Amino acid sequence: MELSDNLPDIYETFIRHDIRIGVILSAMVSKMARKPAYKLEIDFGPFGKLHSSAQITALYTPESLVGKKILAVINLPPLQVAGTRSECLVLGAINPAGEVVLLTPDPEAVAGDPVR
């Protein structure tokens, strides 16, 4: 079986995840987290403001995150993470050192834009 035989299924699985552009409004250290993490408030334009807990402390300070555009999955069930209601999943790549590098869109993308 070749990869191309599975493309319709792969695409259907991908589009079930509602990935949107967001802008981080605030970031603060999550004091209850077992692993270092930030509590984020993210603006998704017409989809409103959502909160997330993200283990992105290795490469980012709270101050450097405010105003940053990111990609996040917004249609997952909310989770309670270290005392924080996490309503979206911020996306990042893992570098060779095991640190999360946020995925960021071009400047032309605006809060709420879908990712396809």
Side-chain angles (χ1 to χ4, degrees):
M1 179 181 279
E2 293 186 29
L3 177 61
S4 60
D5 294 336
N6 288 328
L7 284 179
D9 293 335
I10 292 169
Y11 182 73
E12 288 299 319
T13 299
F14 175 75
I15 64 170
R16 278 192 292 241
H17 297 90
D18 191 1
I19 304 171
R20 300 278 172 170
I21 306 300
V23 179
I24 298 175
L25 299 175
S26 67
M28 65 180 69
V29 174
S30 177
K31 294 178 182 166
M32 293 180 62
R34 285 181 285 168
K35 294 182 179 180
Y38 294 133
K39 295 180 194 180
L40 306 175
E41 181 179 30
I42 307 165
D43 179 16
F44 290 98
F47 299 92
K49 297 173 186 174
L50 299 176
H51 295 91
S52 187
S53 177
Q55 294 176 356
I56 55 174
T57 59
L59 299 178
Y60 305 96
T61 64
E63 300 79 22
S64 71
L65 291 168
V66 175
K68 189 174 215 34
K69 290 182 182 180
I70 52 90
L71 279 63
V73 181
I74 67 167
N75 67 333
L76 297 174
L79 295 173
Q80 201 63 27
V81 179
T84 299
R85 181 176 166 90
S86 191
E87 303 166 311
C88 61
L89 177 65
V90 175
L91 299 178
I94 308 299
N95 70 15
E99 302 159 327
V100 178
V101 179
L102 291 172
L103 300 180
T104 58
D106 280 348
E108 293 80 15
V110 297
D113 282 354
V115 175
R116 294 281 183 263

